[in-house]
Structures are given as structure tokens and as C-alpha cells.
Amino acid sequence: MLVALAAFIPFAAYPSLDDWDAKLAGRRNPSAHTVLELVLGSSAIWLIIAIGLGWHWRRTTMWPIWARWAAFPGLFVSVFTCFFIAGERNTPIALAIGVGLVVACWLVGEAARLVLTRPVTAGLISSKLEIPFPTRGLKARLCVRADRLVLDSLASRRKRSRDVIAVPWTSLRSIELMEVGQKTVCQVHVFSNWVVPNTREFEVTPGPALHVVGTARELLIPVTARVGEAALTAVRARSAAVELVEDPFARLSWNAATRVYPDLRRKEPIRTDSRPYILAIVGAFLLMPLVMLSGMTLSLVIGSARMQEQFYARGGVVDPAGVALLGVASIVFLYLLHRFVIKAFLKAMEVQDFIEAYPAPPAKKR
């Protein structure tokens, strides 16, 4: 509901902004673009966002990100209108309105996360929703998920949707809240798909910290006492029924289970906290025939002369050869999308899913 609200706010403001611009310009009528047309034009983006929300429905830290993407189409139109009014009509207050819209959508996205995760109740702990906790002195968050404990990006708050260190319940030996007496550097090795692991380091300042012992690693996570107690309760409750796998990382069985094998031919390790953004560009290109076919169909359904002009269905008449060509191109391009984008993305996420530890390299055959 809050994600939908974030998408609705800027579109709800657009008609008033458009009327304001028309009055300042001395026009009798506002612009020809209606809210309905803008909403229809954003439907493809919202479909992708809906799929993303379904993918991340347990990842509460991703909800604000999807809410901001949902608000982007409306913000683009409304904020652009505000800038235009401020510049062309000499009305600086329009800038404040544009900034206010951005802040409002941002806050609604944050509210989507807080509504799901605060307060930390027994019902929340027994659910499968991710529970994020702030850390003390680090940019990363401590996230208690249904199957693992995670630290997200240590480098930037903008990249905190990326897991950096994870300890699944199957490898969790113990966790306790302790007091750190002096500054300590915690160093962790994580899987890199190469013979050398990726190394992560972070400082732990004196004060309370969670001491986590896993099968292949030991962590100190600086937290406040209050956060530590809450996180400790959540971790113990969620990991209580999970059987410990004593030595999953010293055998090739780990590699076989994850279908991820160290590539001895690689010249450098893979960063497990990176994202293959180039796939979005490739995917957008491959989806173009399908977008054209969908736009053509939509223009005929709603009877919009402007859309029919844009999508080559002038006067409601469609060239059958053009439809057949777009249909075949869509099928071919969807196959290529699956082959070169979706499979590559799932492979990247698979590597991300098993970053708990750097497994022992394969034993040499004798």
C-alpha cells in the first residue's frame, strides 16, 4: 500500500502543477498530457517493480528502494514541471514544491520498511521477514533473515542492499553479546570464484558487540546494547530448529550443492557485492519489440489517436505484416533475454547467495 502511495503522490500533484503553469502562461487549457496517459505510460515500469517486489517480498530493506523506483515516473514529470515553472515563469516556490515531492516519496518508502519491521515483536520474529538492525560505527546494517545473519555494504550507505558477509543458520555455532575492551580490526574472507578469496575488513570500537562464531568464520559486530539484545533474541529464535552442519566448507560437497566452483583460470576474483547493471541495458533493448507490440494493442483498446500515431496503428488500422514481424521479434528477443540476461542475473545472485565463507580449494587429483 505504501509503495503504491509513493507512486501516487507525484501523479496526484501533477494536474495542479499543470493548471498552475497554464495560468502563469496565460493559457486557457493545461497541457494535452492527461494523468491517465502518464499512468499508462508508466505501467511497464510498474510491472517490473511488481516483479521485483515479489522477488524481494521478504527483504524489507529492499521495499524503500522499490518504492522510490515506483515514484520515479511521477516524480520525473512533476519535478520537471516544477523546474520549468521556476525557470520559465520566475516562480522560485516551485522548486520548493519539487523538493517537497521528492522528500515525501522518500519518507513514504522509509515508512514501508518501518511499518514491517518496527517494533520487533514476537510475531515479526516468527515470520520470514528480514529484520534490519543498525550497527555501531559501521555503514553496514545487521540483517536477520529467515535463514541467515547478514552484514550489508561496508563501503557505502547507497549500496546497502548488497550482502557482504553472511552466516547461515546451518553454520552458526554460537552468538553472544559481549563487551569489546579495545579497538579491533575484524577481517573476513568470502567466496570469490577464484583461488584467492575476497577480504573484508572493518573496525570494531570499544563497546558492546555481537560475537558470532560460524563453521568457517568468527565475527565481531559492533552494536548498542539494546540492539544487541533484540538481534540476539531474533537470531536464537530463528536458528533454534536448524541443524548445524559441522564442516560444510572443507569439502567439494559445498561446491556441488551451490553449483559454484572456483575457476582456476580466472585472473582476478569476482566481487560478490557487485551488481550486473549492464544487464538492465541489454534487457531494455531486448524488450523493445514487446513494448512496441503492447503499446500498439493498448492504443487500439483505449482508442487514443495519439498513441495509435506513436505505435504505428494510425486510424486504428494495423498492418498485419508489422504485427507478425513484431510478434516473431518479441519471441526471439525473449529467448535471448532469458539466455543472456535472466540466466546471467540468476547466476550472479547465486554467487551472492553463498558468500558465507571461502571454501577450501579443490583437492588435487593424484
Side-chain angles (χ1 to χ4, degrees), residues 192-211:
S192 67
N193 205 36
W194 198 42
V195 292
V196 177
N198 287 320
T199 301
R200 300 285 183 266
E201 289 186 352
F202 58 91
E203 288 187 351
V204 181
T205 55
L210 285 171
H211 182 215

Side-chain angles (χ1 to χ4, degrees), residues 107-127:
L107 292 177
V108 170
E110 287 299 312
R113 175 180 60 83
L114 294 175
V115 164
L116 291 172
T117 62
R118 294 297 182 271
V120 181
T121 61
L124 176 60
I125 292 175
S126 63
S127 73

